[in-house]
């Protein structure tokens, strides 16, 4: 029993010394040597500067873990250059992943065509809304222009508010035209993208392997 208490007391004493040291130091390092023994200190030994280590806060909690000290010492330009040379996925891997996703997402060419039509129909709905707004603006503009002409024929002074309304309506019409053209361009891109997917799906369905280039 006495031996157990002595070992417990020693363990608590060591732990107390470790955390009291952590509390009194601004930066506490913790590292493990080649024999598996854990060490604490305010600085790292020179022979361990290129091996993993941890930072502890004043409560003995790990606040930072450095697995590769040499990586953190690389110049920024070197790291960026290395990242550029090593993309996350190669072009072949991207094609393989894209092909697998394509056959998982759609069960037939008909599914692809249906999905395309859903997106195109949404554009058609947006187009109808813009056309309605455009028609309303044109009607209002015609009324405002007629009002301005009537005032001019009657020899009445120009109405600044009327001029502003005409300007706003014309701007609104120009914006509507831009939006309609944007929707047309979007539809062309959607159909072209789905057409590429349909051709790719057809190639895979006829025995082509994911990532393989269609030479036909």
């Amino acid at each position: 029993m006495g031996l157990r208490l002595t070992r417990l007391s020693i363990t608590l004493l060591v732990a107390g010394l470790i955390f009291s040291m952590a509390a009194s130091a601004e930066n506490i390092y913790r590292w493990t040597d080649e024999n598996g023994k854990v060490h604490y200190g305010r600085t790292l030994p020179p022979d361990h500067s290129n091996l993993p280590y941890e930072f502890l806060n004043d409560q003995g909690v790990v606040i930072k873990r450095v697995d590769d000290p040499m990586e953190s010492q690389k110049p920024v330009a070197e790291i960026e250059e290395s990242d550029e040379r090593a993309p996350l996925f190669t072009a072949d891997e991207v094609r393989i992943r894209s092909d697998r996703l394509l056959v998982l997402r759609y069960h037939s060419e008909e599914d692809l065509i249906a999905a395309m039509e859903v997106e195109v129909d949404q554009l058609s709905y947006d187009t109808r809304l813009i056309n309605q707004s455009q028609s309303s603006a044109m009607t209002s503009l015609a009324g405002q222009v007629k009002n301005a002409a009537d005032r001019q024929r009657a020899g009445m002074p120009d109405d600044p508010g009327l001029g502003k309304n005409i300007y706003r309506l014309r701007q609104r019409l120009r914006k509507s035209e831009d939006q309609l053209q944007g929707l047309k361009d979007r539809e062309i891109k959607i159909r072209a993208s789905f057409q590429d997917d349909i051709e790719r799906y057809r190639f895979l369905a006829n025995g082509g392997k994911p990532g393989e280039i269609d030479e036909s």
Side-chain angles (χ1 to χ4, degrees), residues 172-188:
R172 178 177 163 187
L173 288 172
R174 291 192 187 96
K175 183 178 179 181
S176 296
E177 289 295 333
D178 291 340
Q179 290 174 331
L180 289 173
Q181 185 59 51
L183 290 174
K184 291 178 182 178
D185 294 340
R186 175 61 180 158
E187 180 178 351
I188 292 173

Side-chain angles (χ1 to χ4, degrees), residues 140-216:
S140 297
L141 177 61
Q144 296 288 331
V145 170
K146 183 178 182 302
N147 191 5
D150 290 342
R151 290 177 62 88
Q152 186 177 20
R153 282 194 295 269
M156 299 175 64
D158 293 339
D159 183 355
L162 189 59
K164 290 180 180 179
N165 288 338
I166 292 174
Y167 175 79
R168 291 194 189 101
L169 288 168
R170 286 174 174 167
Q171 289 296 103
R172 178 177 163 187
L173 288 172
R174 291 192 187 96
K175 183 178 179 181
S176 296
E177 289 295 333
D178 291 340
Q179 290 174 331
L180 289 173
Q181 185 59 51
L183 290 174
K184 291 178 182 178
D185 294 340
R186 175 61 180 158
E187 180 178 351
I188 292 173
K189 291 181 180 179
I190 288 174
R191 291 189 181 279
S193 177
F194 270 97
Q195 186 58 43
D196 290 341
D197 286 344
I198 290 171
E199 292 176 2
R200 188 62 185 172
Y201 186 92
R202 188 177 299 151
F203 169 75
L204 296 170
N206 290 331
K209 296 180 180 179
E212 184 179 359
I213 297 177
D214 184 4
E215 301 291 349
S216 60

